[in-house]
Amino acid sequence: MEYRFSNGLRDLKPSAIREIFKSLSDPQIIAFAAGNPAAESFPVKDLSRLSARLFETQAATALQYGTTEGYMPLRKAVESRLQERFGIDSEANELLIVSGGQQGIDLTAKALLNPGDTVIAESPSFIGGLNTFRSYAAKLVGVELTEKGICVEKLEAALKANPQAKLLYTIPTFHNPSGITTDLPTRKAVYELCKRYGVMILEDNPYGELRFAGEDVPTYKSMDTEGIVVYCGSFSKVLSAGMRVGFVSAPKGFVSKMTVAKQGQDVHTNLFFQMLCHAFMTQCDMDAHIDGIRALYRRKCALMLETMDRCFDSRVQYTRPDGGLFLWCTMPEGTDIDGFVKAALAKKVAVVPGVAFAPDPTVPSPCFRVTYATPTEEQIVRGTEILADTMKDFLK
């Protein structure tokens, strides 16, 4: 039978990262490609103890259906933390618990987009977000990312050229894939532009708690006086990625539409894991736990940068993030990145080619992304040295 797929999915390709994941089953592979948090960051003993206690005292609730909006005690705890840590007003916004930050992106797209609507995104950007917008048959317009964040002048040009634009998708803090953090003047300018042109902002902030250097920068949501910012966060990078618990903070009218959309997807997020997240937030020292993750990534990031400084060809540039999970490496223009990535994989080091993060995948990219989160310190040094050695054949 010939399957007649929807226009949004017909030409959609699998995530390059998920395809690379298939090669990571080889235990000899040094996985610089994954976006996974470090396994040693999981609070296994605490989660085990809290899980046992939940099954002893609240099993009937934990194993039952829940409300679509989410487990109320967790919603209140997250609202309090968002106000305390990120300046997000719980009075002006409502919180929805979602099945990972990815569902927050999807529900935002589902609530806003019609086929042919324009989404503006940083270039490069998170492949999971880009593919979500593609699945709704949206037109993607990429705007260059600079060391200060999205280029304000080019963003305004894109808004003028695309009056039908509905959404700006941005990862302003420890950006995936680049690691860049958008500075405050740029955030203020971007917010004013979106307000002027009537465009919503989807602020994706799964890494915001993972700062290990520098000073915090106010979120877009904290400066949102017009109700144009949808804020997505997640427990994936601070507690457990596999639990798939995320959250969205947005104006009440917007959240109500997302809630209806979620009812058509999964009814509600896994209730046991919502209760486990709440138990951890209220019965453990979450700040101390996150401080431990920051220290871990500070050490690993510094080690990778030190090794790059020592080994990489001077023509290769790379970012120096203040937090998050990723480094973005830029080879000279014209470098055969596909060949380089394949050659590195043949030597048992997996990285992600930059084109995987492009709003327009037909435009060549001389870049690749690496992570310092999942590899061991020994693997970081050895894998970075292998990349440096592999570069020699491609930079002659």
Side-chain angles (χ1 to χ4, degrees):
M1 178 178 179
E2 181 182 350
Y3 299 108
R4 293 177 289 178
F5 294 112
S6 68
N7 292 340
L9 287 179
R10 184 182 55 213
D11 299 321
L12 194 62
K13 295 180 175 60
S15 163
I17 300 169
R18 294 293 154 187
E19 292 300 296
I20 291 171
F21 257 55
K22 295 174 184 177
S23 69
L24 303 186
S25 58
D26 182 347
Q28 294 184 321
I29 293 287
I30 298 175
F32 286 173
N36 296 11
E40 59 265 44
S41 72
F42 303 148
V44 176
K45 290 183 179 179
D46 283 329
L47 293 179
S48 177
R49 173 178 56 83
L50 294 169
S51 296
R53 183 64 176 161
L54 281 174
F55 278 123
E56 289 172 4
T57 61
Q58 294 180 272
T61 300
L63 299 176
Q64 189 54 274
Y65 285 120
T67 60
T68 304
E69 292 83 355
Y71 182 57
M72 182 57 76
L74 177 62
R75 292 171 68 198
K76 294 298 183 184
V78 172
E79 282 180 345
S80 295
R81 188 168 184 86
L82 288 181
Q83 186 142 23
E84 174 189 336
R85 291 281 293 113
F86 298 107
I88 295 174
D89 184 3
S90 60
E91 294 296 321
N93 298 283
E94 190 158 341
L95 197 93
L96 174 67
I97 302 296
V98 290
S99 298
Q102 180 66 42
Q103 189 181 51
I105 298 170
D106 183 82
L107 293 175
T108 303
K110 194 168 188 175
L112 276 182
L113 301 178
N114 293 311
D117 284 343
T118 296
V119 175
I120 297 175
E122 293 146 337
S123 184
S125 190
F126 170 49
I127 181 64
L130 297 179
N131 271 352
T132 296
F133 305 132
R134 289 172 181 138
S135 75
Y136 287 96
K139 173 187 174 185
L140 279 172
V141 173
V143 176
E144 177 187 347
L145 191 65
T146 75
E147 62 182 11
K148 296 181 178 181
I150 195 168
C151 178
V152 174
E153 294 76 18
K154 292 184 178 180
L155 173 60
E156 182 164 20
L159 290 168
K160 287 179 178 178
N162 296 276
Q164 75 280 30
K166 278 192 173 177
L167 183 68
L168 169 67
Y169 174 61
T170 177
I171 311 168
T173 306
F174 317 133
H175 179 266
N176 180 8
S178 73
I180 289 170
T181 294
T182 301
D183 65 16
L184 184 56
T186 300
R187 294 188 193 210
K188 289 181 176 179
V190 167
Y191 182 83
E192 289 302 316
L193 278 177
C194 290
K195 183 171 72 172
R196 188 191 319 161
Y197 285 89
V199 172
M200 297 282 290
I201 298 173
L202 174 52
E203 180 176 16
D204 193 7
N205 193 28
Y207 317 105
E209 298 261 25
L210 300 182
R211 176 175 289 280
F212 49 69
E215 299 295 326
D216 286 334
V217 184
T219 59
Y220 282 110
K221 192 61 187 166
S222 69
M223 60 181 78
D224 184 21
T225 58
E226 305 298 317
I228 63 171
V229 179
V230 178
Y231 178 94
C232 278
S234 174
F235 287 95
S236 291
K237 305 303 187 291
V238 298
L239 202 54
S240 161
M243 286 164 58
R244 309 308 301 134
V245 179
F247 45 87
V248 173
S249 178
K252 185 174 182 179
F254 198 88
V255 167
S256 67
K257 287 298 182 188
M258 296 179 78
T259 302
V260 173
K262 181 174 170 61
Q263 288 168 350
Q265 291 186 352
D266 61 2
V267 182
H268 64 82
T269 298
N270 183 295
L271 185 53
F272 172 77
F273 283 137
Q274 289 188 68
M275 295 174 71
L276 186 57
C277 286
H278 174 256
F280 188 89
M281 290 184 76
T282 56
Q283 298 177 40
C284 300
D285 190 337
M286 189 162 184
D287 288 335
H289 167 67
I290 292 174
D291 283 344
I293 300 175
R294 290 172 178 159
L296 173 67
Y297 291 159
R298 181 185 299 115
R299 185 172 68 250
K300 285 188 165 188
C301 181
L303 181 60
M304 180 170 274
L305 287 170
E306 288 167 6
T307 311
M308 287 178 170
D309 291 343
R310 173 170 57 84
C311 297
F312 271 19
D313 188 292
S314 61
R315 290 168 289 176
V316 179
Q317 300 177 323
Y318 38 92
T319 54
R320 294 180 176 273
D322 289 334
L325 309 184
F326 305 112
L327 292 173
W328 186 243
C329 303
T330 304
M331 307 266 270
E333 287 292 338
T335 301
D336 177 11
I337 286 290
D338 282 346
F340 169 76
V341 170
K342 290 175 183 176
L345 189 58
K347 296 179 182 180
K348 305 296 186 180
V349 180
V351 303
V352 188
V355 71
F357 305 97
D360 181 356
T362 66
V363 177
S365 170
C367 306
F368 63 93
R369 190 195 75 177
V370 295
T371 183
Y372 42 81
T374 45
T376 65
E377 293 186 14
E378 179 184 354
Q379 288 175 326
I380 286 173
V381 173
R382 189 168 82 253
T384 304
E385 290 174 344
I386 290 171
L387 290 179
D389 184 65
T390 307
M391 286 173 184
K392 294 175 183 177
D393 294 331
F394 290 84
L395 297 179
K396 291 179 180 176

